Amino acid sequence: MLATTRTAFLQRTRWQRLRSLTMISVSASMVTATLLLTLGLFALLFISAMEWIFWIGEGGSADVASRLRDIALARPGLESSVIGLVPAIVGTVALVMLMTLFVAPLGVATALYLSEYARDTWYTQLIRISITNLAGVPAVIYGVFGLGFFVYGLGGQVDQLFFSDRLPSPTFGTPGLLWAALTLALVNLPVVIVAVTEGLDALPEDLRQASAALGATKNETVFYAVLPAAMPSVFTGLILSTARAAGEVAPLMLVGAVKFAPSLPVMTTAPFIGLEQKFMHLGFQLFDAALFSTVPPGGIGWVATIALTLVILIALLNIVAMSLRSVILRRQAVDSPF
Amino acid sequence: MDQQSKNDIALSIRDLSLSYQGNPSALKSISVDIPRHSVTAIIGASGCGKSSLLRCLNRMNDLIDGVQYSGEVLLEEMNVLSAETNVTALRRRVGMVFQRPNPFPKSVFDNVAYGLKLSGVKSQRHREELVEKALRSAALWDEVQYRLDESALQLSQGQQQRLVIARAIALEPDILLLDEPASSLDPISTLRLEELIYELKQTLTIIIVTHNMQQAARVSDFTAFMNQGHLVEFGPTDTIFTRPSMRETEDYITGRYG
Amino acid sequence: MTDQSHQRIHISAQFSRELEGVRDDVLTMGGTVESQITKALDALLDGNSELAEQVIALDSNVNELERSISDQCMRILALRQPAAGDLRLVLAVIKVTTDLERIGDEAAKMGRQAVLLSEIGVQEKIAAQVRDVAVRSITMVKNALDSFARLEVGDALSVILSDDDTDEAYANAREWLLLFAEENPASLRVAMSYLWILKGLERIGDHAANIAEQVIFLTEGVDVRHLDSQNTRDLLS
Ligand SMILES: Nc1ncnc2c1ncn2[C@@H]1O[C@H](COP(=O)(O)OP(=O)(O)OP(=O)(O)O)[C@@H](O)[C@H]1O
Ligand SMILES: [Mg+2]
């Protein structure tokens, strides 16, 4: 009797051990597969890009230096599809920066309102759920909204009010950097709000009590105690949205990204930024190159180059954001989610 | 005589009752005078209203929805519970330290300077002086003087609890409320904290809630025993712990069925 | 008000049992000591040296109990940190056992004197004097132990008050004995022996009064040591 239960027990544990061993090996091989796939992808990108970049010869550049210059700068006419990486990088960075400028205060303010000020009612619950759902709406729909609301709606109004002398040719009433940034800010707003709200909700109630007990008013508590403590999640939200803004293509096609812009949207003299200008964007270039490129040999080299640049740029943007984050948080030493 | 005895009273609680939503009688008509420059311990079973009483004294209960109180709490001539009372000013005069050490995720210095900044100490030099003074009074200066820029969260629990006390006494309050301040500390840190309480009572009036009877007996001059929202007995600690006059008190401190 | 508390059970039943154990041991010790003095008196009055030897032998039991009780008290103080009534019980027990042990010593001394006197033969007249004091002292011990067992303040108080009577009886007996010695110089040794015994009985009465004082401290929380009877009565009312 005792012996049978004993063996049953042993068998069960053996079976369980087998099961967990299987689980471990399956997940380990999946992780390895993912890693290999990523590495392979990068290797492919890297090799094709390099092959293409250093391709010198017939119908191409004379030497490596001029080849690099050709790729970096817009030289229409030389190779009709290669329009230069640098303007696209500049456009992408300008877009991301501007978008962050909009999304950060708006997202943080909304999150603060939702979790610090608003009472917890069915109405605020509904708003929270809606915001979470908005994060799942396809970005191109925001593009349509941006085109209708920002470009034609707001832009048209602005033109009539401030630039009526230039009409009928539109100034702000046409896709441009400002509208693209605002549209992307809308795309990313739910992401930032959700990240920050979650960060705020996770803060211990102790923190607010400690502040109140020291004679802080509600606002002082929110701004001097709560918000600084929630900075990690603010940065998490912004890092997420940066990557998304740099990689997003579909809405940008509607609100301002172009294949070739005659001038950069940033300049060295005031006002330093051309808010109404069309701009070039790496993601859009990639899309364009993949579909319409005729660049030899075989086109894939040019596409790979843009893709590699985009990936590196996003990595760089993240590194910048993260180091900014660690500089600001140096004194807090809270457990980092990264 | 009357004037004299008034000067010896730090806080006078008169007929204080408190109700929460869902708990209509958390405190039932409590009256007690807390003597100045002394340590008063509040003991009693869990849920008897110790924290609720403490939170009345600096109006921390205001943060809870649906709290209602009646009665008076007199801090000198000011009625703490009156609607006209400036609550933030009150909380600077009546500091509070909680059960778990809760430093801000900021540097050691910024933690102590937090209240100072809010109360309008503008000059950085002046702030530095006051922070040092508070850290010294909290018996923490020697341990953190070279770590002022480090995160407060890197300190040990015992150090964090003393930091939190430094943060409160930096504002030079008249009264310091401690709600189970040693419950998450090891025995040595607890003894340090008790020693600190003994030092601090030279300049402040301290009210401490504790579940540790020996601790109450060690640190306090007066003891209040509460049961189910009532103040059962208040008196000098040595009397309460050797010959309490109420049966309930005796049963509680000797650990008998009530 | 608090006098019933020892019957109430601690949440830690083990602690209640420990306190009960100490109390039981004190009562056992009291019983032993009580029988010691009763037997010593009998041995003395009957000239029974065998009984007297028994009294002397019992002393080691009493000493053993004292040691065991003080060990238990020390353990309770260190491990349980008793408060209020429990603390007073432990403190009272420590003092009561000291007094009981002294009473035991006095009884043993009486036993030794009884052995000596048994060889000479009982002097009826002197014995009558001794019996008067002895009965008072033994009654005091008995009552003091009863008041401890039942935590009766009233009984304890009458023990304390009766000490004056015992002292008076002792003084009378002593005077009588001195006169006897002057008249019968040949019996000086015998008289000295009885004087020793009388002194011991008077001390036993004092120890019984001390025990009664501890009972009052234990039940009422007031210290009536070194007060005269009037002050004691005032304090208790
Ligand atoms: N925010 C609240 N809302 C409703 N009831 C509450 C609230 N806070 C406390 N109470 C109730 O009031 C009573 C007293 O609680 P309180 O926290 O003051 O007890 P306590 O003596 O401090 O207990 P503990 O020793 O466990 O900290 C309890 O019955 C509790 O359930
Ligand atoms: Mg509490």
Side-chain angles (χ1 to χ4, degrees), chain B residues 214 241-245 247 250-251 253-258, chain C residues 1-2 5-6 8-11 81 83-86 88 221:
Chain B
Q214 269 70 46
F241 279 89
T242 55
R243 38 184 201 284
S245 53
R247 167 66 163 284
E250 169 103 19
D251 283 351
I253 62 178
T254 56
R256 289 182 163 82
Y257 289 127
Chain C
M1 180 106 251
T2 51
S5 55
H6 298 291
R8 293 169 64 81
I9 301 291
H10 289 84
I11 293 164
Q81 287 119 14
D86 298 339
R88 297 201 305 269

Side-chain angles (χ1 to χ4, degrees), chain B residues 136-186:
Chain B
R136 280 189 194 280
S137 324
L140 192 59
W141 177 253
D142 291 341
E143 288 156 70
V144 302
Q145 58 173 318
Y146 302 114
R147 307 173 63 183
L148 293 176
D149 286 336
E150 273 178 40
S151 166
L153 301 181
Q154 280 168 351
L155 301 181
S156 75
Q157 289 273 302
Q159 288 172 329
Q160 287 188 14
Q161 196 60 302
R162 277 178 287 148
L163 177 69
V164 167
I165 290 177
R167 187 171 72 182
I169 59 180
L171 295 168
E172 301 188 340
D174 301 332
I175 294 173
L176 189 60
L177 309 174
L178 305 170
D179 195 349
E180 297 176 44
S183 56
S184 58
L185 303 185
D186 65 276

Side-chain angles (χ1 to χ4, degrees), chain C residues 172-183:
Chain C
N172 292 340
R174 191 186 53 196
E175 282 311 309
W176 188 92
L177 203 58
L178 287 177
L179 280 176
F180 172 85
E182 279 168 17
E183 286 166 13

Side-chain angles (χ1 to χ4, degrees), chain A residues 14 39 42 72 86 90 105 117 127 145 151 183 191 215 283 298 315:
Chain A
R14 195 182 307 145
L39 276 179
F42 266 96
V86 169
V90 171
Y117 291 96
I127 291 183
F145 173 81
V151 178
T183 305
V191 178

Side-chain angles (χ1 to χ4, degrees), chain A residues 10-75:
Chain A
L10 278 180
Q11 275 167 352
R12 204 177 64 185
T13 48
R14 195 182 307 145
W15 187 79
Q16 280 178 338
R17 222 183 300 152
L18 198 71
R19 196 176 61 168
S20 61
L21 211 69
T22 323
M23 301 262 272
I24 289 173
S25 40
V26 165
S27 45
S29 42
M30 268 159 72
V31 168
T32 318
T34 320
L35 206 69
L36 283 178
L37 213 68
T38 321
L39 276 179
L41 198 72
F42 266 96
L44 197 74
L45 267 184
F46 190 76
I47 291 167
S48 334
M50 288 304 138
E51 207 181 23
W52 185 80
I53 289 172
F54 296 107
W55 177 68
I56 305 163
E58 242 177 288
S61 319
D63 56 84
V64 175
S66 57
R67 172 75 179 162
L68 286 179
R69 201 166 49 239
D70 290 345
I71 296 171
L73 300 173
R75 293 280 295 277

Side-chain angles (χ1 to χ4, degrees), chain C residues 129 132-133 136 163-179 195 198-199 202:
Chain C
Q129 292 294 325
D132 182 39
V133 180
R136 287 174 190 277
D163 193 36
D164 291 348
D165 299 344
T166 309
D167 285 353
E168 204 180 306
Y170 161 71
N172 292 340
R174 191 186 53 196
E175 282 311 309
W176 188 92
L177 203 58
L178 287 177
L179 280 176
L195 196 60
L198 274 179
K199 184 66 202 159
E202 189 267 341

Side-chain angles (χ1 to χ4, degrees), chain A residues 21-233:
Chain A
L21 211 69
T22 323
M23 301 262 272
I24 289 173
S25 40
V26 165
S27 45
S29 42
M30 268 159 72
V31 168
T32 318
T34 320
L35 206 69
L36 283 178
L37 213 68
T38 321
L39 276 179
L41 198 72
F42 266 96
L44 197 74
L45 267 184
F46 190 76
I47 291 167
S48 334
M50 288 304 138
E51 207 181 23
W52 185 80
I53 289 172
F54 296 107
W55 177 68
I56 305 163
E58 242 177 288
S61 319
D63 56 84
V64 175
S66 57
R67 172 75 179 162
L68 286 179
R69 201 166 49 239
D70 290 345
I71 296 171
L73 300 173
R75 293 280 295 277
L78 181 71
E79 276 173 345
S80 63
S81 292
V82 179
I83 26 159
L85 285 175
V86 169
I89 293 173
V90 171
T92 309
V93 171
L95 176 74
V96 167
M97 297 283 179
L98 203 59
M99 188 259 342
T100 308
L101 226 56
F102 291 127
V103 83
L106 217 62
V108 170
T110 313
L112 280 181
Y113 173 77
L114 280 179
S115 65
E116 297 299 312
Y117 291 96
R119 279 164 175 263
D120 197 16
T121 61
W122 65 269
Y123 181 68
T124 44
Q125 286 296 338
L126 190 73
I127 291 183
R128 279 177 175 230
I129 293 171
S130 312
I131 288 173
T132 315
N133 285 333
L134 274 181
V137 170
V140 68
I141 293 180
Y142 287 94
V144 174
F145 173 81
L147 186 66
F149 181 72
F150 290 132
V151 178
Y152 297 143
L154 269 181
Q157 290 296 319
V158 168
D159 277 359
Q160 275 179 8
L161 284 175
F162 302 106
F163 302 101
S164 50
D165 47 328
R166 294 195 206 163
L167 284 173
S169 80
T171 313
F172 276 96
T174 172
L177 182 60
L178 177 66
W179 305 135
L182 278 173
T183 305
L184 276 190
L186 277 189
V187 171
N188 285 315
L189 198 55
V191 178
V192 176
I193 294 175
V194 168
V196 178
T197 326
E198 270 166 14
L200 289 172
D201 289 348
L203 288 179
E205 201 50 40
D206 286 13
L207 185 80
R208 299 172 182 95
Q209 293 204 346
S211 174
L214 291 166
T217 61
K218 174 86 194 178
N219 289 339
E220 286 168 339
T221 297
V222 167
F223 285 98
Y224 300 139
V226 172
L227 188 54
M231 272 329 244
S233 44

Side-chain angles (χ1 to χ4, degrees), chain C residues 14 23 61 65-66 73-74 82 96 100 120 122 125 135 163 176 178 211 214 217:
Chain C
Q14 181 57 31
R23 259 167 59 83
N61 286 10
L65 273 169
E66 188 200 18
C73 287
M74 194 162 81
V96 166
L100 284 176
I120 303 168
V122 182
K125 278 186 184 164
V135 168
D163 193 36
W176 188 92
L178 287 177
I211 292 174
Q214 291 306 319
F217 169 71

